[in-house]
Amino acid sequence: MPKKQKMMGEMLLELGIITREQLEEALAEQKGTHERIGKILVNKGFITEQQLLETLEFMMGIPHVQLSKMDIDPEVVRLIPPHVMRKHKILPVNKTSTSLMLAMADPLNQQAIDDARMASGLDIIPVLASERELDNAIRQYLAFRLDPGIEKILGELKETARQNRKESYAPVRIEDDAPVVRMVNSILTQAVQGRCSDIHMEPQEEDMRVRFRVDGELYEVLHIPKASEAAVVSRLKIMSSIDIAEKRIPQDGRFNMMFEGREVDFRVSTLPTTYGEKVVLRILDRSSALTRIEQLGLTPQNQEKLLRLARRPHGMLIVTGPTGSGKTSTLYALLNEINSVDKNIITLEDPVEYSLAGINQVQINVRAGLTFASGLRAVLRQDPDIIMVGEIRDNETAELAVKAALTGHLVLSTLHTNSAAGTIARLLDMGIEGFLLSSSLIGIVSQRLVRQLCPNCKQPYVLDEEMAARLGIPEEAGQQFFRPVGCNMCRQIGYQGRTALQEIMPVAAPIKELIGRGNVSEEMIEAKAIGEGMKTIKEDGILKAKKGITSLEEVMKAVYLGG
């Protein structure tokens, strides 16, 4: 065990911040993970990041900084190559004519200091920063920062296009070191590093526009010359095993690549448009999947409700919301929470987005005859305890899911409805008998995703009466909320990351009685649920806006507040 790690643990013990049992537990884990002892203690919740920083500052005599409160010049950040920053978790924060101040999670990492000195040509002054803040800051400052040689690649693309202009209708031949290959690789790398969920490559009259979707919003990042458009599309088709000669119909494909030691999947869709083929790539970064219940943005009350439902031995739990509302992430987090060696868990997914250790995941293949319905029949013969059905799309799947829930299985699934109460109406419309639904359904989670306000620059304000009335919440007039401002940390957007708004409706006796009648309205069910203590998505959103997690504008967009 390195000396500095032993000193850290003993120092925290002497200061009374941790107990001997906590230290021994962390040291035992360190033997398997080789992580720094401080990081393990923070991850286990034994100490806070602030306590770790203060102890390190005391031990090393190196000051610590709060990156979220610093206004860092992007030109200073550019002094260190992105791969060096990510490798060592370092960030330049200030410079003089001879020195560079470097924020580090581990100021004793001499290799990091040497690499930074070589890259910048300046003397390095290390300062301490929390690992979480460094991760956030590196991600934000490097977002949309394309390869420094992008201009050179664009020039090469133009030259190649000029040489091949007479052969523009011939099949595109692409060598591994061709400019178009480097261009596509640069775009993919940047998108993954910038936490993008989708890449849009859109042919226009004069060029091809490239946009990234980050936190639900699209941002323009690049324009590719029109003459190189066909080569870019062909390259992506080759990577996705799509027919490059077919340009008249939509096509789908997929591929995966390794980025910094982790595998990232890309789902590719092409669509013929007026000016050429549009390509959209959905990025499935397995390392960034939400896997813990604490990451879902639930209030303590909602988290307790959801865990209580997920730990029921049988019944059907539905997660609902529009496309892109995080339903799959919620199901994955629940499965990770309830997964254990004494449970046989099987999932039916289209597609399987992320691998879950210890869980049997099945990929739907409609062409081969493996649908949700046929898959569910097969799964029921596999002695399951818990079944996840990626989506209930038809009456047959709905009936099978209900029967599975009634025969002693816990069934988790999703539906596209606008509210928890609307889910019941939808299932009844799909032909499920009211008495069967009331016996099988144990709970419904309805959710939406909203952008989180940047913690560095969000600004408090008091909601005036006119705006409160326009939003349909006159009772909130005079209350403090927060608005986006924009800073270097959030690329002047005012938002960083996303969180969810939820309403959780346990289906208890009073609601079961309503469902059993069969002919019941969504309004009646919602009124009964609210009477039983359910907080609506609107109420959850207003609460999170008051806490400064998101803005009222985001809440309004997500749940049509006041509309």
Side-chain angles (χ1 to χ4, degrees), residues 241-452:
S241 300
I242 292 174
D243 184 356
I244 65 170
E246 181 57 76
K247 303 178 181 180
R248 301 163 299 173
I249 59 173
Q251 297 187 80
D252 296 304
R254 64 188 306 160
F255 64 92
N256 56 61
M257 295 179 70
M258 294 298 293
F259 289 91
E260 298 176 352
R262 68 187 193 275
E263 190 174 23
V264 178
D265 294 328
F266 295 85
R267 291 193 343 234
V268 183
S269 171
T270 69
L271 181 72
T273 70
T274 306
Y275 295 117
E277 286 184 281
K278 174 175 176 174
V279 183
V280 174
L281 299 91
R282 166 62 56 89
I283 301 172
L284 302 173
D285 186 349
R286 297 176 184 180
S287 69
S288 65
L290 289 175
T291 54
R292 297 203 308 272
I293 200 80
E294 295 81 9
Q295 294 174 283
L296 296 178
L298 293 155
T299 62
Q301 296 81 1
N302 276 345
Q303 182 170 314
E304 183 184 347
K305 279 184 186 178
L306 185 55
L307 286 174
R308 197 159 51 237
L309 290 170
R311 287 169 180 157
R312 294 275 289 271
H314 56 81
M316 186 164 66
L317 175 60
I318 302 289
V319 181
T320 184
T323 301
S325 58
K327 299 187 294 295
T328 302
S329 293
T330 297
L331 288 180
Y332 278 178
L334 287 175
L335 289 176
N336 271 345
E337 186 69 30
I338 59 182
N339 186 19
S340 62
V341 293
D342 62 338
K343 295 282 196 303
N344 178 21
I345 303 176
I346 305 178
T347 74
L348 293 167
E349 303 175 62
D350 186 21
V352 174
E353 295 192 5
Y354 303 103
S355 296
L356 300 172
I359 292 175
N360 307 285
Q361 295 174 269
V362 178
Q363 169 73 55
I364 294 301
N365 188 336
V366 176
R367 289 182 181 177
L370 180 55
T371 63
F372 280 115
S374 65
L376 189 46
R377 282 197 191 89
V379 165
L380 287 170
R381 295 192 290 270
Q382 291 283 314
D383 186 32
D385 296 296
I386 300 167
I387 305 167
M388 185 189 106
V389 181
E391 185 182 346
I392 294 177
R393 295 177 179 173
D394 52 46
N395 169 265
E396 187 180 10
T397 307
E399 286 184 345
L400 287 167
V402 167
K403 287 178 182 176
L406 288 171
T407 52
H409 306 90
L410 179 64
V411 179
L412 310 178
S413 192
T414 71
L415 263 179
H416 290 280
T417 57
N418 291 324
S419 66
T423 302
I424 293 171
R426 174 73 185 282
L427 288 167
L428 291 171
D429 287 343
M430 293 176 79
I432 305 300
E433 295 287 350
F435 72 93
L436 290 175
L437 189 58
S438 66
S439 301
S440 59
L441 193 60
I442 59 173
I444 303 168
V445 180
S446 181
Q447 67 181 53
R448 306 284 188 281
L449 288 182
V450 293
R451 291 183 294 172
Q452 294 184 109

Side-chain angles (χ1 to χ4, degrees), residues 116-127:
R117 183 185 296 113
M118 287 287 292
S120 65
L122 299 169
D123 292 331
I124 302 301
I125 302 173
V127 292

Side-chain angles (χ1 to χ4, degrees), residues 92-240:
V93 295
N94 204 351
K95 72 176 284 287
T96 67
S97 58
T98 59
S99 64
L100 181 68
M101 183 179 288
L102 194 67
M104 309 176 68
D106 180 8
L108 297 182
N109 184 344
Q110 191 59 48
Q111 183 64 54
I113 291 173
D114 290 344
D115 287 352
R117 183 185 296 113
M118 287 287 292
S120 65
L122 299 169
D123 292 331
I124 302 301
I125 302 173
V127 292
L128 278 161
S130 82
E131 195 160 333
R132 179 181 58 82
E133 280 205 333
L134 275 167
D135 284 337
N136 288 337
I138 291 169
R139 186 173 63 241
Q140 294 301 327
Y141 276 98
L142 298 187
F144 308 159
R145 181 171 154 186
L146 291 168
D147 189 316
I150 199 76
E151 293 297 331
K152 180 182 177 182
I153 298 174
L154 283 170
E156 292 177 21
L157 280 175
K158 291 175 183 176
E159 180 60 31
T160 303
R162 273 196 297 270
Q163 293 173 1
N164 296 337
R165 190 166 294 160
K166 293 180 181 180
E167 303 173 16
S168 59
Y169 293 101
V172 179
R173 293 175 61 87
I174 301 173
E175 304 297 332
D176 287 344
D177 61 346
V180 67
V181 173
R182 288 185 281 125
M183 169 65 75
V184 169
N185 289 345
S186 179
I187 292 170
L188 297 179
T189 300
Q190 181 55 45
V192 171
Q193 292 171 345
R195 295 185 310 108
C196 302
S197 61
D198 303 86
I199 305 170
H200 289 242
M201 296 188 171
E202 303 163 312
Q204 301 182 103
E205 188 172 5
E206 297 181 355
D207 56 25
M208 172 179 261
R209 178 174 65 173
V210 180
R211 293 192 290 172
F212 291 169
R213 188 179 294 279
V214 182
D215 297 334
E217 302 289 321
L218 280 169
Y219 300 94
E220 187 174 292
V221 296
L222 182 66
H223 284 261
I224 296 172
K226 188 71 175 176
S228 301
E229 180 184 303
V232 170
V233 173
S234 293
R235 172 60 181 168
L236 289 167
K237 283 184 170 183
I238 290 168
M239 295 173 74
S240 314

